Amino acid sequence: MGIARQILFLGILMFLPCAAGAQTVEAYPPGRLERIVAPVALYPDPLLGEILQASTSPLQIVEAARWRQDPAHAGLSDAALADALQAENWQPSVRALISAPQILNDM
């Protein structure tokens, strides 16, 4: 299991429901955790790492997704896309996801 997948798994475990100070912990029904991680389970580790880092800036994700959908930017690729991104003040992980617009939209 790659480091990005381990981080994702630990991050999900942090959000599992539990009662503070209680003796028992409520568990998800079988298969629930798998359904939660299934959309990203097959992503390559470097991409998953970028997704996890970018997810800490949700406003930038929304801005980047809207920027990418703008007709003025939708057709850009490679050098033209890199040049257009110079004007944006987003963190590097958000910039990296610009080349994956479907992932931006899903986030």
Side-chain angles (χ1 to χ4, degrees):
M1 181 181 294
I3 188 70
R5 290 189 189 334
Q6 291 173 354
I7 293 169
L8 175 66
F9 182 72
L10 291 175
I12 290 171
L13 287 179
M14 288 181 1
F15 292 102
L16 291 176
C18 65
Q23 295 287 333
T24 61
V25 175
E26 182 182 332
Y28 279 116
R32 175 82 191 273
L33 187 57
E34 287 83 7
R35 286 192 302 274
I36 292 171
V37 299
V40 298
L42 299 179
Y43 288 165
D45 283 347
L47 176 59
L48 189 55
E50 297 292 353
I51 291 169
L52 291 172
Q53 290 176 32
S55 69
T56 63
S57 300
L59 182 57
Q60 289 185 8
I61 291 292
V62 171
E63 291 172 353
R66 290 178 181 166
W67 184 90
R68 189 63 169 145
Q69 290 174 349
D70 183 342
H73 305 122
L76 298 177
S77 62
D78 301 330
L81 182 60
D83 289 342
L85 279 173
Q86 295 302 320
E88 303 304 326
N89 191 23
W90 299 324
Q91 67 171 300
S93 58
V94 174
R95 288 174 181 257
L97 293 178
I98 286 291
S99 60
Q102 184 57 45
I103 292 174
L104 279 175
N105 293 336
D106 289 347
M107 291 178 76

